[in-house]
């Protein structure tokens, strides 16, 4: 349907249409039309192209007044893998991620409901190409309605354990670094006298940001597949309960430019399961509950298969959660609207 809005000023951008969703409280703005052509033979080349040529649109859609500091987006693009049903680039306050589990959960439902993939009962497989690789997604579908989503990760692995870094204000701290489609540093919050379930989010954010800064100064990351994957996405503070248990274990993820994840973090759960499996704290097929320190929402995670990623011993991890619709939107930018190009207030 044509928009009833008739701008008084000339629009300097196309009308960009989105579907608004959330997974575990973490927002997802899915961009379904309105972007210019995205060039590149591979998805990593497309990611580079939008960084270099279309970043003003990321700022317009993620930043205020249309978004906010912790907004998250997903941009649907053409896939270069014949087995992929859809392909996606991930957007946030700093740039472009290589993997996002909460986005995958919501996108699985969207792919069924928008008929990108014909639904079948009781579960429909949707193959989603991400910058980190192909993610197999499985969407519940019963009585004509989509439901919960689980996905199988790209190979996830423990990169390094017990690395000592100098954290401003805290001295030398040991961290683990694990990969779940993106690299994360892991450390127990009580090392800093904090609790992921009850400490102020601002305190947790500040500590996690300091850890990320320290790791980026100290550690050179390596990924066997592509150098574009070799960056630390963020730090995940945990409750320290890494040994398998039937009780939920809590964590909070601070990523990109001190952006706080509201949900348990799908790629973070993937990396944390890989870490726990590498330390023999969890076995294949042992399902765990992961609780968001921000709002108590839950994901499940388990290692389902051992594999390799280059020389790294790795696992394929299954993560499950629920995504929900919150609305639809059409966004534009008028010529005289300088502020409308995007700004952040924290």
């Amino acid at each position: 349907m044509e928009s009833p809005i008739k701008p008084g000023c000339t629009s300097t951008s196309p009308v960009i249409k989105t579907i608004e969703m959330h997974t575990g409280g973490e927002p997802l703005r899915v961009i379904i039309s309105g972007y210019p052509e995205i060039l590149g033979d591979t998805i990593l080349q497309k990611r580079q192209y939008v960084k270099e040529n279309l970043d003003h649109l990321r700022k317009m859609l993620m930043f205020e007044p249309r978004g906010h500091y912790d907004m998250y987006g997903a941009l649907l693009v053409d896939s270069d893998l014949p087995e992929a049903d859809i392909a996606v680039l991930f957007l946030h306050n700093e740039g472009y991620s290589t993997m996002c589990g909460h986005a995958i959960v919501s996108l699985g439902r969207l792919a069924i409901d928008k008929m990108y993939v014909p639904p079948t009962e009781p579960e429909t497989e949707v193959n989603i190409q991400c910058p980190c690789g192909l993610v197999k997604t499985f969407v519940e579908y019963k009585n004509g309605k989509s439901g919960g989503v689980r996905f199988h990760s790209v190979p996830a692995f423990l990169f390094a354990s017990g690395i000592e870094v100098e954290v401003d204000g805290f001295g030398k701290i040991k961290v683990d670094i694990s990969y779940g489609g993106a690299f994360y540093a892991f450390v127990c919050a009580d090392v800093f006298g904090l609790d992921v379930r009850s400490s102020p989010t601002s305190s947790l954010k500040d500590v996690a940001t300091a850890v990320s800064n320290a790791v980026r100064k100290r550690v050179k990351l390596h990924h066997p597949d592509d150098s574009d994957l070799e960056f630390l996405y963020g730090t995940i503070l945990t409750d320290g309960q890494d040994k398998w248990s039937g009780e939920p274990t809590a964590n909070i993820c601070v990523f990109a430019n001190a952006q706080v994840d509201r949900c348990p973090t799908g790629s973070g759960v993937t990396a944390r399961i890989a870490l726990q499996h590498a330390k023999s704290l969890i076995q294949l097929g042992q399902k765990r509950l992961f609780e968001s320190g921000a709002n108590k929402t839950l994901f499940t995670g388990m290692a389902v298969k051992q594999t390799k990623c280059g020389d790294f011993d790795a696992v394929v991890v299954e993560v499950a959660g629920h995504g929900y619709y919150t609305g639809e939107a059409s966004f534009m930018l008028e010529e005289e609207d300088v502020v409308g190009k995007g700004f952040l207030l924290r």
Side-chain angles (χ1 to χ4, degrees):
M1 184 175 68
E2 185 180 353
S3 172
I5 299 173
K6 303 297 182 183
C9 305
T10 304
S11 174
T12 62
S13 74
V15 174
I16 297 176
K17 295 186 180 297
T18 69
I19 294 177
E20 307 291 306
M21 304 184 75
H22 81 88
T23 307
E26 178 71 359
L28 184 69
R29 175 162 289 162
V30 186
I31 303 156
I32 58 172
S33 69
Y35 250 61
E37 181 182 7
I38 298 170
L39 302 180
D41 294 332
T42 69
I43 196 165
L44 285 173
Q45 289 174 359
K46 288 180 172 68
R47 178 173 173 265
Q48 190 64 33
Y49 181 84
V50 296
K51 286 172 67 175
E52 294 176 353
N53 298 278
L54 301 175
D55 202 48
H56 61 288
L57 296 179
R58 174 186 66 86
K59 293 175 181 175
M60 185 183 107
L61 293 168
M62 296 297 102
F63 293 4
E64 296 183 54
R66 298 168 192 83
H68 53 83
Y69 195 93
D70 296 305
M71 192 64 188
Y72 205 96
L75 171 63
L76 299 180
V77 298
D78 292 333
S79 172
D80 56 270
L81 295 178
E83 62 268 41
D85 297 303
I86 60 174
V88 60
L89 299 176
F90 304 115
L91 294 68
H92 48 69
N93 70 8
E94 187 181 49
Y96 304 86
S97 176
T98 53
M99 174 58 185
C100 178
H102 95 272
I104 291 296
V105 170
S106 282
L107 287 169
R109 280 199 70 196
L110 181 69
I112 297 299
D113 296 337
K114 291 287 287 184
M115 295 298 291
Y116 298 146
V117 179
T120 58
E121 295 191 10
E123 190 176 63
T124 304
E125 181 174 336
V126 180
N127 293 327
I128 303 177
Q129 185 186 14
C130 306
C132 64
L134 188 72
V135 176
K136 291 186 176 296
T137 306
F138 306 89
V139 184
E140 292 176 1
Y141 190 79
K142 296 179 182 179
N143 301 319
K145 185 177 180 180
S146 59
V149 178
R150 60 189 179 93
F151 67 84
H152 286 181
S153 72
V154 296
F157 55 88
L158 176 63
F159 177 80
S161 181
I163 292 182
E164 194 171 72
V165 295
E166 185 78 26
V167 180
D168 286 349
F170 295 94
K172 293 181 178 179
I173 300 293
K174 289 184 177 180
V175 303
D176 296 329
I177 300 174
S178 192
Y179 178 83
F183 283 101
Y184 295 95
F186 289 85
V187 62
C188 183
D190 69 10
V191 170
F192 307 97
L194 299 173
D195 186 301
V196 291
R197 288 184 172 92
S198 61
S199 294
T201 301
S202 58
S203 299
L204 295 165
K205 174 182 67 69
D206 290 345
V207 162
T209 300
V211 172
S212 292
N213 291 339
V215 172
R216 288 172 182 137
K217 289 179 184 176
R218 163 79 171 79
V219 183
K220 179 174 175 55
L221 298 174
H222 166 69
H223 194 283
D225 292 344
D226 199 293
S227 60
D228 277 356
L229 304 174
E230 296 173 352
F231 65 95
L232 186 78
Y233 192 28
T235 289
I236 296 179
L237 300 175
T238 79
D239 60 4
Q241 303 303 310
D242 280 321
K243 188 174 182 180
W244 183 85
S245 165
E247 297 299 315
T249 176
N251 53 238
I252 190 165
C253 176
V254 181
F255 64 97
N257 184 14
Q259 188 162 336
V260 180
D261 200 332
R262 274 68 172 159
C263 73
T265 310
S267 55
V269 166
T270 301
R272 196 170 171 207
I273 285 281
L275 182 159
Q276 293 169 351
H277 184 270
K279 292 186 172 185
S280 299
L281 300 172
I282 190 170
Q283 305 303 313
L284 291 179
Q286 287 186 319
K287 186 178 290 188
R288 291 209 69 179
L289 286 169
F290 291 84
E291 179 181 281
S292 166
N295 61 14
K296 315 306 181 194
T297 54
L298 296 172
F299 284 174
T300 62
M302 65 176 174
V304 295
K305 184 176 70 173
Q306 291 179 307
T307 186
K308 298 285 286 188
C309 187
D311 292 332
F312 290 103
D313 291 327
V315 287
V316 173
V317 177
E318 180 177 292
V319 177
H322 287 79
Y324 298 95
Y325 296 100
T326 59
E328 298 182 28
S330 297
F331 294 105
M332 65 186 70
L333 176 66
E334 293 186 300
E335 193 172 80
E336 286 84 353
D337 186 8
V338 177
V339 173
K341 294 178 180 179
F343 68 94
L344 290 176
L345 184 65
R346 187 68 164 172

